């Protein structure tokens, strides 16, 4: 109990605030003392400290007494540990001595081995240097002899230099007196061989000699600089062409003669004087022609180089030179060079025209001339491709293995065979796009100007013949100038078609569309006269365009089609111009023919002698009307063929209406038949003015001729006639047979209580033979029902014949 009480008091002592600071890890004596002095409680603090020290001493005494045995055991264990540590120290010292003795036995042999290894390495290096020196001396001596052999031994000399370069790689040969002179000689020899090979390559490229080019390439291949040499040569051509383009388009050079005569002040713009524009343009086109020659020559040389690279193989390794170049992804040298050429042309032309408006105007105004130069360049390149193929194939190459197919030479010729993703001709002409667009715009303006001039605002008269000739001359001139290129021809042809369309639209605006323009009662009105003049003007244009088309023998089909389509448009406008008059004439013809039913055709034959059958009144009126229309209205049109093409349609329609109304005549007596037969004969005379020859009407004429004999035949003979169904429609014959039936058998229009005019309109609205036959069947069925209703015992004699014809016709149209 006492011990526990003391423990408690000790714990309480430690929990006291006075002693809490002493238990902290960061307790500081000076800080604690300063705080105690500051609070002026020193005596009290000392008393508490003394009490605490006394309490701690008591606690330590109690702990020693309680753990006396354990403390003694630990003190004994410390003495044993010191003995063990002393023994381990002795053994470590012994081990250290053993290690020192072993080190002594190993280090000396190792040092000797390192020394001997270094000596061996130096001996090996010395031997390698000696071998290299011996080989260098040998090759140097051989090289001297090869250089004396000139160009015949140049490839062997290059091979020797290549081997000498290999011997010099990775080692430092400086300071070796025995080969110092040889190394200097080798350096000079390399320069001499390279220069000689460059001269040989340049000479071979200029003269297109594949043997010289092949020899030079073999030298560079042996020297290991084939790729660099090819790149250097092609880059040189590219740079030279760029300089040539700049020089050809240099406005200062082009205006130099004029500038020499008149000095301008500082900042004066470089431009040709008004009197020397022609000289400026002449100098420009001369320069451009020279530029095309230079481009052609450069492309030919690069193409020749690629051809030789494609055929040439190394005689030792049999590696094709083009494959060696292809390792860097530049197998198609010509394509790369051509792409660079087209880019140079596009960029430099744009720069030059942006800096000089005179140059821009010259290229835009004479674009066809520039395009012709480009086309000539392309043709020359293609011709050269064909010739170089024959040259290379004819010369042959002894180093070309026989297993190389001859066709492989043409695989990379872009001038003869286009690639799927690259069109070299299009790439060339793409540089001309801005000038083409400007030229076409000006060309369209030149074409439209005379049109707008001859059709002033508020004008009422069409252009005169001289004005039309001026328009056609402009169109022909533009087309002839554009004939240098198919694409340009097509574009200008489309512009010409727009011009013709504009003429047609302007002419259409002059047409009179009022009621007097289509009248056919009185004389020609002013509106009709103007319409005639417009149509005649369009006819002259049509004829002139036809002559232009005949002169386009070398034009592409698409361009001819564009002009031809525009000429068809002229015909369409002419047709729309005369259509109101034609409709009016046709309406009048139909109105005259329908008066046929107002005359009496039910009379019988006279008993006295040969009957004198006069022409019906409606036929006389029709003949007089058609003759008057042709003389008063259509005679003024100069386009005779065009008018006949349109009036023949009136003739066809007139015959159709005449036969239709003749079939609908009821009643029809024998005397009426004779007069109607005379009308059939007079109908040929009536429509004669509407066509060149009546026989030209074809089926309508044959129908008119075939129907007339049927007037006097029996119904049985009519049903068996070969013309029925083939030439004469079944519906027309059935309509005609109604005239031979009793009044009880009503015609379709009588049953429907329609007028002749309304029934004729229904027939026009239903041209289908089936629809007409169904209507006729309804009339026959109505007749049957009426007979049965009155309990009649027999039908009219003509009814079975009509029913048989109807059934036959219906079976054919099903």
């Amino acid at each position: 109990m006492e011990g526990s009480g003391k423990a408690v008091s000790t714990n309480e002592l430690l929990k006291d605030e006075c002693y809490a600071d002493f238990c902290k890890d960061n307790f500081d004596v000076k800080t604690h003392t300063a705080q105690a002095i500051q609070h002026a409680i020193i005596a009290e603090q000392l008393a508490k400290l003394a009490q605490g020290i006394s309490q701690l001493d008591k606690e330590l005494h109690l702990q020693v007494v309680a753990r006396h045995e354990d403390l003694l055991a630990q003190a004994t264990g410390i003495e044993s540990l010191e003995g063990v540590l002393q023994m381990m120290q002795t053994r470590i010292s012994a081990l250290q001595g053993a290690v020192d003795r072993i080190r002594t036995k190993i280090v000396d042999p190792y040092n000797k081995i390192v020394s001997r290894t270094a000596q061996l390495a130096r001996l090996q290096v010395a031997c390698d240097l000696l071998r290299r020196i011996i080989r260098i001396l040998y090759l140097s001596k051989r090289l001297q002899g090869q250089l004396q052999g000139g160009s015949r031994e140049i490839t062997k000399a290059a091979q020797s230099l290549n081997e000498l370069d290999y011997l010099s790689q990775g080692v430092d040969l400086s300071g070796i007196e025995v080969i110092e002179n040889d190394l200097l000689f080798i350096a000079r020899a390399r320069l001499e061989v390279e220069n000689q090979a460059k001269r040989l390559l340049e000479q071979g490229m200029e003269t297109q000699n594949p043997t010289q080019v092949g020899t030079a390439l073999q030298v560079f291949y042996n020297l290991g600089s084939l790729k660099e040499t090819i790149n250097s040569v092609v880059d040189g051509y590219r740079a030279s062409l760029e300089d040539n383009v700049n020089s050809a388009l240099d406005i200062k050079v082009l205006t130099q003669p004029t500038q020499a005569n008149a000095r301008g002040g500082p900042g004066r713009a470089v431009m040709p004087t008004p009197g020397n524009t022609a000289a400026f343009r002449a100098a420009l086109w001369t320069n451009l022609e020279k530029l095309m020659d230079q481009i052609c020559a450069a492309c030919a040389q690069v193409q020749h180089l690629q051809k030789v690279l494609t055929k040439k193989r190394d005689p030792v390794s049999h590696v094709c030179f083009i494959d060696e170049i292809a390792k860097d992804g530049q197998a198609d040298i010509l394509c790369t060079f051509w792409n660079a050429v087209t880019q140079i042309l596009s960029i430099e032309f744009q720069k030059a025209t942006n800096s000089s408006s005179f140059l821009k105007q010259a290229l835009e105004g004479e674009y066809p001339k520039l395009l012709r130069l480009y086309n000539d360049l392309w043709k020359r390149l293609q011709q050269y491709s064909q010739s170089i193929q024959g040259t290379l194939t004819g010369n042959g190459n002894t180093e070309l293995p026989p297993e190389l197919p001859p066709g492989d030479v043409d695989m990379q010729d872009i001038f003869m065979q286009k690639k799927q993703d690259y069109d070299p001709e299009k790439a060339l002409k793409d540089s001309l796009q801005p000038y083409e667009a400007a030229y076409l715009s000006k060309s369209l303006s030149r074409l439209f100007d005379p049109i707008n001039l001859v059709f002033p605002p508020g004008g009422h008269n069409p252009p005169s013949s001289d004005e039309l000739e001026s328009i056609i001359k402009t169109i022909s001139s533009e087309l002839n100038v554009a004939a240098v290129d198919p694409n340009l021809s097509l574009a200008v042809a489309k512009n010409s078609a727009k011009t013709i369309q504009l003429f047609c639209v302007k002419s259409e605006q002059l047409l009179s569309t009022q009621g007097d323009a289509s009248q056919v009662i009185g004389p020609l009105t002013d509106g009709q006269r103007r319409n005639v003049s417009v149509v005649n003007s369009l006819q002259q244009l049509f004829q002139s365009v036809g002559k232009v088309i005949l002169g386009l023998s070398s034009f592409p089909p698409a361009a001819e089609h564009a002009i031809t389509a525009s000429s068809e448009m002229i015909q369409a406008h002419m047709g729309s111009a005369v259509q109101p008059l034609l409709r009016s004439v046709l309406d009048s013809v139909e109105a005259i023919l329908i008066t046929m039913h107002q005359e009496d055709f039910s009379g019988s034959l006279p008993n006295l002698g040969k009957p004198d059958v006069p022409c019906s009144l409606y036929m006389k009126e029709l003949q007089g009307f058609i003759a008057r229309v042709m003389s008063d209205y259509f005679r003024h049109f100069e386009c005779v063929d065009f008018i006949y093409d349109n009036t023949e349609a009136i003739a066809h329609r007139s015959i159709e209406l005449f036969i239709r109304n003749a079939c609908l005549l009821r009643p029809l007596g024998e005397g009426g038949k004779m007069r109607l037969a005379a009308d059939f004969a007079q109908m040929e005379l009536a429509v004669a003015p509407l066509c060149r020859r009546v026989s030209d009407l074809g089926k309508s004429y044959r129908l008119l001729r075939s129907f007339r004999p049927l007037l006097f035949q029996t119904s049985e003979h009519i049903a068996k006639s070969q013309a029925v169904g083939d030439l004469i429609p079944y519906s027309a014959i059935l309509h005609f047979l109604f005239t031979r039936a009793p009044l009880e058998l009503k015609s379709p229009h009588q049953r429907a209580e329609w007028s002749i005019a309304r029934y004729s309109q229904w027939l026009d609205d239903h041209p289908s033979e089936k629809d007409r036959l169904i209507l006729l069947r309804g009339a026959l069925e109505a007749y049957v029902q009426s007979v049965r209703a009155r309990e009649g015992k027999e039908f009219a004699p003509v009814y079975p014949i009509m029913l048989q014809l109807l059934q036959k016709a219906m079976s054919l149209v099903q």
Side-chain angles (χ1 to χ4, degrees):
M1 292 294 292
E2 182 182 359
S4 61
K6 292 179 179 179
V8 173
S9 62
T10 303
N11 291 332
E12 292 177 355
L13 178 67
L14 294 175
K15 291 179 182 179
D16 193 340
E17 293 181 359
C18 295
Y19 306 107
D21 292 338
F22 295 97
C23 296
K24 295 179 180 179
D25 295 336
N26 57 351
F27 174 75
D28 185 27
V29 177
K30 294 181 179 180
T31 304
H32 184 75
T33 304
Q35 290 177 354
I37 295 172
Q38 185 177 2
H39 290 88
I41 51 174
I42 300 173
E44 184 181 351
Q45 287 290 332
L46 290 175
K48 285 186 177 183
L49 287 176
Q51 181 184 355
I53 291 171
S54 174
Q55 186 66 35
L56 289 174
D57 288 341
K58 292 178 181 179
E59 184 64 29
L60 287 173
H61 178 72
L62 291 174
Q63 290 292 333
V64 171
V65 172
R67 295 177 175 81
H68 180 263
E69 297 296 333
D70 294 336
L71 292 173
L72 289 177
Q74 288 182 1
T76 306
I78 290 172
E79 292 179 358
S80 299
L81 180 61
E82 289 179 352
V84 172
L85 290 175
Q86 187 175 4
M87 183 180 63
M88 291 299 295
Q89 182 67 32
T90 304
R91 292 182 178 179
I92 289 171
S93 299
L95 180 60
Q96 184 67 39
V99 169
D100 291 340
R101 290 194 299 273
I102 293 172
R103 183 186 294 113
T104 303
K105 293 180 180 180
I106 291 175
V107 168
D108 292 341
Y110 171 77
N111 292 334
K112 292 180 180 180
I113 290 173
V114 171
S115 176
R116 298 294 189 274
T117 302
Q119 292 176 359
L120 179 60
R122 287 193 289 270
L123 284 173
Q124 290 176 342
V125 171
C127 291
D128 181 63
L129 283 174
L130 286 174
R131 284 193 295 270
R132 290 174 184 265
I133 290 170
I134 293 171
R135 186 63 180 169
I136 288 172
L137 292 172
Y138 170 75
L139 291 175
S140 176
K141 184 177 181 181
R142 189 176 71 178
L143 180 61
Q144 293 178 1
Q146 291 170 344
L147 290 178
Q148 293 175 358
S151 59
R152 292 175 299 177
E153 300 288 333
I154 189 172
T155 56
K156 295 181 180 179
Q159 199 166 3
S160 299
L161 287 170
N162 188 31
E163 186 177 354
L164 286 167
D165 288 341
Y166 174 75
L167 292 173
S168 302
Q169 290 177 358
V171 294
D172 184 11
L173 298 177
S174 60
I176 303 176
E177 296 180 359
V178 69
I179 58 172
E180 280 185 355
N181 294 330
D182 294 277
L183 292 178
L184 294 174
F185 166 72
I186 291 168
R188 291 194 301 270
R190 184 179 183 87
L191 289 176
E192 181 180 349
V193 169
E194 286 180 348
N195 293 331
Q196 190 174 352
K198 288 179 181 178
R199 289 193 299 271
L200 188 63
L201 179 61
E202 291 174 359
Q203 183 179 357
M205 296 279 283
E206 291 177 0
T207 60
Q208 302 291 297
N209 189 328
T211 303
Q212 291 180 336
V213 174
T215 302
L217 293 178
Q218 183 68 57
V219 170
F220 289 114
Y221 178 80
N222 290 341
L223 292 175
S225 58
L226 180 62
K227 298 177 187 177
E228 294 77 6
T229 302
I230 297 299
N231 291 336
S232 175
V233 171
V234 175
D235 290 342
Y237 285 128
R238 186 186 300 115
S240 177
L241 278 182
E242 189 170 358
D243 293 340
N244 292 336
V245 174
N246 288 328
S247 176
L249 300 176
D250 190 351
I251 190 69
K252 294 181 180 179
V253 175
L254 293 171
T255 57
Q256 189 171 5
T258 60
Q259 296 298 319
N261 298 330
R263 290 186 178 181
R268 182 183 177 90
V270 179
M271 60 182 69
T273 57
N276 290 296
T277 304
F280 162 74
R281 294 203 171 190
L284 172 64
W285 292 115
T286 301
N287 287 357
L288 289 177
E289 288 177 1
K290 291 180 181 178
L291 177 62
M292 295 301 126
D293 294 338
Q294 293 164 346
I295 293 175
C296 183
C299 291
Q301 292 175 358
V302 174
Q303 187 175 6
H304 185 268
L305 176 63
Q306 178 162 302
K307 294 287 186 181
V308 176
L309 285 170
T310 306
K311 291 193 68 174
K312 182 68 177 177
R313 289 179 179 270
D314 180 54
V316 179
S317 62
H318 299 292
V319 173
C320 187
F321 285 0
I322 198 67
D323 295 336
E324 187 71 18
I325 302 297
K327 292 179 180 179
D328 291 341
Q330 298 180 354
D332 201 342
I333 300 171
L334 181 59
C335 183
T336 304
F337 178 73
W338 181 251
N339 193 27
V341 170
T342 55
Q343 289 181 358
I344 289 172
L345 289 174
S346 299
I347 295 172
E348 297 303 328
F349 267 79
Q350 185 176 2
K351 286 182 181 178
T353 52
N354 288 341
S355 61
S356 173
S357 59
F358 290 94
L359 189 61
K360 184 177 182 180
Q361 292 173 3
L363 295 179
E364 290 177 354
E366 299 185 73
Y367 168 74
K369 194 172 183 179
L370 179 62
L371 184 58
R372 180 180 58 80
L373 292 178
Y374 273 54
N375 286 335
D376 292 344
L377 170 63
W378 181 254
K379 290 178 182 178
R380 289 164 63 188
L381 292 173
Q382 287 186 319
Q383 292 173 357
Y384 177 76
S385 296
Q386 294 176 349
S387 65
I388 192 175
Q389 173 58 28
T391 302
L392 288 175
T393 306
N395 288 346
N397 193 336
T398 56
E399 296 172 357
L400 182 66
E403 62 270 12
L404 181 65
D408 288 353
V409 181
D410 286 334
M411 290 178 61
Q412 297 172 336
D413 192 345
I414 61 173
F415 299 132
M416 298 299 296
Q417 185 176 2
K418 297 179 181 179
K419 295 186 175 182
Q420 293 182 352
D421 56 344
Y422 183 70
D423 187 350
E425 185 178 8
K426 183 178 181 299
L428 173 64
K429 293 183 179 179
D430 281 347
S431 60
L432 303 178
Q433 284 296 330
Y435 315 113
E436 180 179 8
Y439 175 79
L440 291 177
S441 176
K442 293 179 180 178
S443 173
L444 187 61
S445 178
R446 287 193 295 270
L447 290 167
F448 278 7
D449 285 346
I451 303 291
N452 295 323
L453 189 62
V454 299
F455 288 99
H460 297 286
N461 297 321
S464 63
S465 299
D466 293 339
E467 291 171 336
L468 265 174
E469 185 178 357
S470 174
I471 294 172
I472 291 300
K473 282 183 178 180
T474 304
I475 293 175
S476 179
S477 174
E478 292 295 329
L479 290 173
N480 289 330
V481 171
V484 297
D485 182 75
N487 293 329
L488 183 62
S489 299
L490 177 58
V492 174
K494 290 180 179 179
N495 282 351
S496 301
K498 293 178 182 178
T499 304
I500 296 172
Q501 182 179 7
L502 178 63
F503 186 95
C504 293
V505 172
K506 295 280 189 181
S507 298
E508 188 176 11
Q509 293 172 356
L510 297 179
L511 292 174
S512 174
T513 57
Q514 298 177 356
D516 63 343
S518 59
Q519 65 86 28
V520 289
I521 299 174
L524 210 63
T525 64
D526 292 338
Q528 288 175 325
R529 292 182 187 279
R530 186 164 69 249
N531 289 355
V532 169
S533 299
V534 170
V535 173
N536 289 337
S537 176
L538 289 172
Q539 172 65 14
Q540 293 179 22
L541 178 66
F542 176 77
Q543 293 175 344
S544 301
V545 170
K547 294 178 182 179
V548 171
I549 294 175
L550 291 177
L552 302 180
S553 57
S554 60
F555 260 51
E560 289 188 24
H561 176 73
I563 303 295
T564 304
S566 67
S567 65
E568 294 173 356
M569 188 193 328
I570 300 175
Q571 292 272 21
H573 279 78
M574 292 171 63
S576 63
V578 300
Q579 200 60 38
L581 181 61
L582 294 172
R583 267 197 309 270
S584 182
V585 170
L586 195 54
D587 292 342
S588 300
V589 168
E590 186 172 4
I592 293 172
L593 287 173
I594 211 166
T595 61
M596 174 192 308
H597 300 278
Q598 299 175 5
E599 299 189 24
D600 184 14
F601 284 88
S602 60
S604 59
L605 286 174
N607 296 325
L608 301 174
K610 187 176 180 180
D612 183 15
V613 182
C615 180
S616 300
L617 294 177
Y618 78 90
M619 185 56 66
K620 291 180 180 179
E621 183 182 0
L622 180 64
Q623 290 178 345
F625 173 75
I626 292 178
R628 182 174 63 82
V629 164
M630 293 302 294
S631 63
D632 290 353
Y633 300 104
F634 294 111
R635 178 175 57 86
H636 302 283
F637 290 99
E638 298 175 358
C639 43
V640 178
D641 293 335
F642 171 76
I643 292 299
Y644 274 139
D645 291 340
N646 285 275
T647 55
E648 280 182 1
I650 298 179
H652 286 289
R653 176 67 174 166
S654 300
I655 293 175
E656 178 189 357
L657 291 173
F658 171 72
I659 293 177
R660 175 187 297 174
N661 284 280
C663 292
L664 295 176
L665 280 174
R666 293 187 73 176
L668 182 63
E670 292 299 323
K673 290 181 182 178
M674 292 296 293
R675 190 149 57 92
L676 190 59
D679 291 343
F680 267 87
Q682 293 296 323
M683 188 64 187
E684 295 185 25
L685 299 177
V687 299
L690 296 173
C691 49
R692 301 173 183 86
R693 292 186 303 273
V694 181
S695 58
D696 292 341
L697 296 178
K699 186 177 180 180
S700 297
Y701 174 72
R702 295 195 302 273
L703 175 62
L704 185 65
R705 282 295 185 96
S706 300
F707 203 98
R708 183 185 180 192
L710 300 181
L711 296 174
F712 305 101
Q713 294 181 5
T714 63
S715 301
E716 292 80 0
H717 283 90
I718 291 175
K720 295 178 181 179
S721 175
Q722 297 292 331
V724 176
D726 180 24
L727 189 60
I728 305 174
Y730 283 102
S731 60
I733 289 297
L734 287 170
H735 278 117
F736 176 67
L737 290 178
F738 273 101
T739 64
R740 302 188 176 193
L743 296 178
E744 187 181 4
L745 180 53
K746 294 182 179 181
S747 299
H749 68 281
Q750 292 174 337
R751 188 176 70 87
E753 297 181 353
W754 290 348
S755 65
I756 296 294
R758 181 178 178 185
Y759 186 51
S760 179
Q761 183 62 44
W762 185 92
L763 292 174
D764 288 336
D765 295 338
H766 297 79
S768 171
E769 184 73 359
K770 183 177 180 180
D771 293 342
R772 297 180 178 185
L773 292 174
I774 291 174
L775 186 66
L776 290 166
R777 183 176 64 186
L780 293 179
E781 291 174 351
Y783 167 70
V784 172
Q785 290 177 1
S786 66
V787 172
R788 289 176 179 173
R790 64 177 175 80
E791 298 180 353
K793 296 182 179 180
E794 62 182 8
F795 297 108
V798 75
Y799 170 74
I801 299 173
M802 295 176 69
L803 183 61
Q804 181 183 0
L805 278 174
L806 178 64
Q807 292 173 348
K808 182 179 180 181
M810 290 298 292
S811 65
L812 293 175
V813 298
Q814 291 296 334

